[in-house]
Amino acid sequence: MQGTHLTLRSLFIVCFLCTVCCNTGRATDITYTKADSLKVVGLLEEGSKLAKGTNLICYYGNRLKGVPYVAHTLEVNRTEKLVVNLRQLDCTTFVETVFALALTTKNGQKEWKDYCHWLETIRYRDGKANGYASRNHYFLWWAESNEAKKLVTLPLQELAGTGNADKTVYPYARKQVIKIDYMSVHPSYYSMLKGDKDAIAEIAHLEKRSNGKVMMYIPASCMNLNQKQMKYVQNGDILAIATKKKGLDTTHIGIAEWGKDGKLHLLNASQIHKKVILEPKTMYQYMSGHPSQLGVWVIRPQL
């Protein structure tokens, strides 16, 4: 019978491909399920009742504990659409989901359309889905884009122009000179990029524009410091793990939580544990097992 074959577009057979009018007044195609929208509204209702001063990033991050880790959940359409999926998360979509929930609550909102507005705002370079290349694929792009929108700050970046910053202004900072080209060199690894010459060329252009920039990081060797010593990391900060891997800027992201042991831990969608979890290992223990990891960038949500 016709129409019975599975395609990439039908992987989300239970999804609604809906047109939702976000706060911008512009219609946005959104891929989601009823379960996703109900969960979002339920979480936002909870958030509206939280005490003033609650750390919204930590609250929502912990509310998503146990959600299964699944990679490539944004690569489910033939053309770029806003994908909302709270049933399956990878490290980036976990952080984006938490941040969008927090921004919605911070702004006194609790409707589905408001959440979709904030998710689209933070996920895309100019705040709107406008083709595959408009997405903040590298975390450098994500950080820069959201800093420009005044949604985050990069507290370590104030040290970038201080010369020998690692020995003077702040003894635990290092400089990472960006050299990214992984996506344009390996387009076949990305189902929505493969074979799209125009998108590949645009990605390559954006990569070249980013190369040579400097991002400050706290080296992995300092991850065993206490909260007072590591003054640039607060609960609820977004931590991006800088990497030595060729063509990449970062390899993993999560949310900072200072544990009862006085050490820094990572709340994250973990490929190792296959779910969202507060990593039981300290950041120092975790990073000691990954020699390609340089250290962490610090991105602070403005809430």
Side-chain angles (χ1 to χ4, degrees):
M1 293 177 61
Q2 291 184 345
T4 59
H5 295 287
L6 285 175
T7 67
L8 187 60
R9 288 176 68 85
S10 62
L11 285 176
F12 278 177
I13 191 105
V14 295
C15 284
F16 302 102
L17 294 182
C18 297
T19 299
V20 175
C21 187
C22 294
N23 285 348
T24 58
R26 181 179 55 81
T28 301
D29 286 334
I30 305 179
T31 301
Y32 70 103
T33 70
K34 186 176 181 180
D36 295 315
S37 60
L38 289 174
K39 187 166 185 176
V40 165
V41 172
L43 287 168
L44 292 174
E45 182 63 30
E46 290 178 18
S48 70
K49 300 173 184 176
L50 294 172
K52 186 177 181 180
T54 298
N55 188 316
L56 295 173
I57 296 292
C58 289
Y59 176 79
Y60 283 124
N62 280 283
R63 287 291 286 112
L64 294 176
K65 278 182 179 176
V67 174
Y69 174 93
V70 177
H72 311 301
T73 57
L74 302 185
E75 311 295 313
V76 295
N77 296 302
R78 291 180 181 174
T79 58
E80 188 69 21
K81 292 178 173 64
L82 182 67
V83 175
V84 181
N85 184 348
L86 280 76
R87 296 157 288 108
Q88 304 164 319
L89 297 166
D90 63 22
C91 66
T92 302
T93 59
F94 166 65
V95 167
E96 289 182 334
T97 299
V98 168
F99 193 22
L101 287 166
L103 282 167
T104 309
T105 297
K106 179 237 180 184
N107 284 280
Q109 302 161 328
K110 54 182 181 179
E111 294 187 22
W112 165 250
K113 66 180 179 63
D114 301 317
Y115 169 82
C116 292
H117 161 73
W118 287 113
L119 183 63
E120 185 175 24
T121 297
I122 64 179
R123 180 171 291 167
Y124 294 96
R125 184 169 56 254
D126 296 321
K128 58 183 179 181
N130 185 23
Y132 185 76
S134 69
R135 199 195 311 166
N136 290 315
H137 293 283
Y138 291 94
F139 208 67
L140 172 70
W141 298 350
W142 196 100
E144 288 184 330
S145 169
N146 286 299
E147 183 187 34
K149 297 165 193 161
K150 301 187 183 304
L151 297 178
V152 303
T153 59
L154 309 177
L156 283 175
Q157 288 307 103
E158 66 187 56
L159 307 176
T162 58
N164 198 14
D166 53 323
K167 292 183 180 179
T168 56
V169 179
Y170 183 58
Y172 313 121
R174 299 290 186 274
K175 294 181 179 181
Q176 178 188 9
V177 179
I178 299 299
K179 179 64 174 75
I180 51 175
D181 63 6
Y182 193 85
M183 292 184 70
S184 61
V185 171
H186 305 287
S188 62
Y189 295 174
Y190 303 86
S191 62
M192 293 177 65
L193 184 61
K194 182 179 179 181
D196 188 336
K197 293 182 180 180
D198 290 339
I200 294 169
E202 188 172 358
I203 292 288
H205 169 73
L206 293 168
E207 289 171 337
K208 289 177 182 178
R209 194 172 70 179
S210 298
N211 289 334
K213 292 183 178 180
V214 171
M215 287 296 289
M216 302 300 294
Y217 68 92
I218 302 173
S221 59
C222 295
M223 289 295 108
N224 61 339
L225 299 174
N226 62 39
Q227 191 170 3
K228 184 177 180 180
Q229 291 170 309
M230 212 182 313
K231 61 181 182 179
Y232 279 92
V233 181
Q234 300 176 2
N235 283 324
D237 283 348
I238 298 167
L239 302 182
I241 297 179
T243 184
K244 299 176 185 177
K245 290 184 177 180
K246 186 177 180 181
L248 292 172
D249 52 352
T250 63
T251 52
H252 190 56
I253 64 172
I255 295 167
E257 278 208 19
W258 288 96
K260 294 180 180 178
D261 57 4
K263 300 296 184 181
L264 185 61
H265 292 256
L266 193 68
L267 178 61
N268 69 125
S270 170
Q271 187 174 15
I272 296 171
H273 296 285
K274 307 298 183 186
K275 62 182 178 180
V276 174
I277 188 174
L278 179 62
E279 175 58 53
K281 291 182 179 179
T282 67
M283 281 295 289
Y284 181 76
Q285 293 169 332
Y286 177 82
M287 296 188 77
S288 295
H290 299 83
S292 65
Q293 297 177 348
L294 292 168
V296 298
W297 301 354
V298 182
I299 296 93
R300 182 157 301 149
Q302 294 303 287
L303 298 168

